[in-house]
Amino acid sequence: MLVVAGPPMWWLWRRPLARRGWLPQTGRNALGAVAGLAVVTLAALLAFQDLASLMRNDRSLRYMINPLNTVYAATRLAADELRDQGRELLPTGEDARPGPSYAGQRRPPLLLVVVGETARARNFGLNGYPRETTPALARWQAAQGLVNFGPVESCGTSTQVSLPCMFSPLAREQGGDRSADRENLLDVLHRAGLAVLWIDNRAGCKGVCARVPTVSTTRLRVPGLCADGECFDEVMLRDLDARIAALDAQRRARGVVVVMHQMGSHGPAYFRRTPPGRKPFQPECASNTLSDCTAESLRNAYDNTIAYTDHFLDLALQWLKTRADAGAWDTGLVYVSDHGESLGENGLYLHGVARALAPREQTQVPMVLWLSPGLQRRDGLRGECPGERAAQPVSHDHLFHTVLGVMDIATGVHDRSLDALAPCAAR
Ligand SMILES: [Zn+2]
């Protein structure tokens, strides 16, 4: 500080003080400010490409360059805390209880809900993408009755908005995209007496899992699965039996819902989301400065993340099928991504464009469903019906009610018109 600021301060100290009238002084100051702005603008324009991608990759920089940020941030934090203290959590589904299928059940149901990250419907092989990005899911679809819902409308274009909304009883248009102060799907399942577990391989559950058991896998150090402070999504399947066995025994005997929150296709460093042996599309963009990469290598890196999600879901489905075949549980899986991603279409990258203006790439997400024969019987589902139902439009609004339907939870908040499988159920 002294080396840099000392000499000019000494020089300033030595200058005689010049007194001007307030008008000339204001003019001089204004001129200085304009000249400063012009220099900043020129410098920014000269390095615009690099600057834009730097600001995109390190969002916290825009706070760090603002000297008054500490004051602003402290005030805002205090205001938020004060407001939250006075706010009560709105209850949801206080009448929730296990439905008729639980009476005298031979084995409990176990549903795995996989919340995808940044997967867009368009690059999903099952949705007709010309590349085979989902070969494993295609096999499950052909031989094991996996249902593909095609492009599903997301609630928001960011994790922050979509995640609470997907688990909210409110539809997007009812304000589901801003309902953190309301109990959600997990609270309703918990109240009905089921065991609920949230496993997170991303940056937390945005308040959704606040009242249920939670495990974070991001900081694990499993050789081959974790590096540089993050882990590949497969890590969530490790020790899964033990994690479930550690849940409340009485609840576990009734039924279990496990949510896995993926790292998925989170950008801009797509190449970091896939292990070395799982990069079928080459060459792959290996930089997080997206403008440094060709459109083709960027698409390859992104498609590799979808192919890895396909592999991860394959492992999860195998795990579930083994448990069902052994007669331990009636198992099922729902996978749906939180929002899509722009890969340079219309000059846009990443996601987070305001929902009303957002392009399809950011709002159309993939969704698949698989239920073991035992769980289908429990739910009284008629043969081909779920597959036919999947041809109709579905959105994030359906997740809350569809999961309540699959798990047969009786509650007044279960809206059958938003339960994607209700038309297929005998009960
Ligand atoms: Zn997200």
Side-chain angles (χ1 to χ4, degrees):
M1 279 276 291
L2 275 180
V3 169
V4 175
M9 280 163 77
W10 179 80
W11 181 80
L12 272 176
W13 183 253
R14 308 268 304 165
R15 301 281 298 163
L17 190 62
R19 294 194 182 278
R20 292 187 187 84
W22 68 271
L23 199 64
Q25 186 62 53
T26 309
R28 270 175 73 98
N29 290 3
L31 206 69
V34 169
L37 263 178
V39 170
V40 168
T41 312
L42 189 72
L45 282 177
L46 284 176
F48 184 71
Q49 276 288 342
D50 294 329
L51 196 66
S53 96
L54 179 75
M55 295 307 272
R56 204 162 45 211
N57 294 332
D58 299 279
R59 284 164 191 256
S60 50
L61 274 182
R62 64 200 157 115
Y63 302 114
M64 292 163 77
I65 57 177
N66 179 355
L68 280 180
N69 177 55
T70 30
V71 178
Y72 167 74
T75 316
R76 196 173 142 181
L77 181 69
D80 282 358
E81 289 286 322
L82 282 174
R83 198 192 56 215
D84 284 354
Q85 271 177 14
R87 205 159 57 178
E88 257 177 63
L89 191 68
L90 289 171
T92 296
E94 288 179 292
D95 58 344
R97 57 192 160 71
S101 67
Y102 290 83
Q105 65 179 2
R106 294 234 303 282
R107 47 183 174 265
L110 187 159
L111 183 69
L112 176 59
V113 179
V114 177
V115 179
E117 177 58 55
T118 320
R120 66 186 204 181
R122 199 171 130 175
N123 291 47
F124 225 60
L126 288 187
N127 293 333
Y129 187 53
R131 272 182 172 177
E132 274 218 352
T133 50
T134 55
L137 290 178
R139 287 195 297 276
W140 282 89
Q141 187 180 34
Q144 300 290 342
L146 177 122
V147 175
N148 173 39
F149 281 87
V152 165
E153 280 295 309
S154 78
C155 178
T157 60
S158 66
T159 312
Q160 191 72 38
V161 173
S162 278
L163 206 53
C165 185
M166 293 160 81
F167 289 85
S168 166
L170 302 182
R172 179 167 72 90
E173 291 186 346
Q174 297 170 312
D177 49 351
R178 44 194 150 80
S179 58
D181 53 347
R182 187 181 291 271
E183 285 186 342
N184 60 59
L185 177 61
L186 305 185
D187 298 301
V188 178
L189 295 168
H190 188 79
R191 182 168 295 127
L194 303 190
V196 180
L197 174 65
W198 181 287
I199 305 180
D200 205 292
N201 196 36
R202 249 287 273 147
C205 68
K206 316 296 173 201
V208 173
C209 62
R211 295 162 296 278
V212 299
T214 307
V215 172
S216 171
T217 55
T218 51
R219 302 244 170 260
L220 293 181
R221 297 204 177 147
V222 183
L225 286 183
C226 303
D228 304 332
E230 68 175 73
C231 296
F232 298 119
D233 283 328
E234 274 172 83
V235 80
M236 292 190 282
L237 294 164
R238 271 177 58 99
D239 304 328
L240 186 53
D241 290 285
R243 290 195 200 286
I244 292 173
L247 298 171
D248 181 274
Q250 223 176 355
R251 293 177 171 275
R252 193 157 34 90
R254 205 169 284 129
V256 176
V257 175
V258 177
V259 184
M260 290 187 178
H261 186 202
Q262 274 188 283
M263 193 62 179
S265 308
H266 188 63
Y270 304 117
F271 65 98
R272 292 186 62 198
R273 306 288 109 81
T274 48
R278 298 232 157 248
K279 298 175 183 291
F281 305 108
Q282 295 290 346
E284 170 185 78
C285 166
S287 160
N288 51 13
T289 307
L290 299 180
S291 49
D292 283 356
C293 291
T294 63
E296 193 52 31
S297 68
L298 188 64
R299 182 163 84 113
N300 289 340
Y302 183 80
D303 285 347
N304 286 335
T305 66
I306 302 288
Y308 181 66
T309 288
D310 176 68
H311 171 65
F312 165 68
L313 291 175
D314 185 29
L315 295 178
L317 285 163
Q318 284 174 29
W319 186 92
L320 291 165
K321 187 170 183 319
T322 315
R323 301 312 178 273
D325 290 347
W329 307 86
D330 287 328
T331 59
L333 173 138
V334 185
Y335 161 81
V336 58
S337 178
D338 62 345
H339 51 77
E341 184 87 324
S342 286
L343 291 175
E345 295 86 4
N346 313 314
L348 289 174
Y349 291 92
L350 305 170
H351 53 265
V353 170
R355 183 63 175 73
L357 307 170
R360 266 205 319 240
E361 288 81 18
Q362 296 190 20
T363 60
Q364 294 196 339
V365 295
M367 173 169 171
V368 300
L369 171 95
W370 175 83
L371 303 176
S372 70
L375 195 52
Q376 290 182 35
R377 270 196 301 279
R378 256 185 104 100
D379 289 339
L381 297 178
R382 286 175 280 110
E384 303 296 302
C385 179
E388 290 160 17
R389 171 66 187 84
Q392 318 243 337
V394 169
S395 75
H396 272 170
D397 294 346
H398 287 79
L399 185 70
F400 180 92
H401 306 279
T402 306
V403 169
L404 286 183
V406 167
M407 293 308 286
D408 187 24
I409 300 303
T411 164
V413 289
H414 181 209
D415 180 348
R416 289 176 62 87
S417 71
L418 287 174
D419 180 342
L421 293 182
C424 302
R427 66 167 119 83

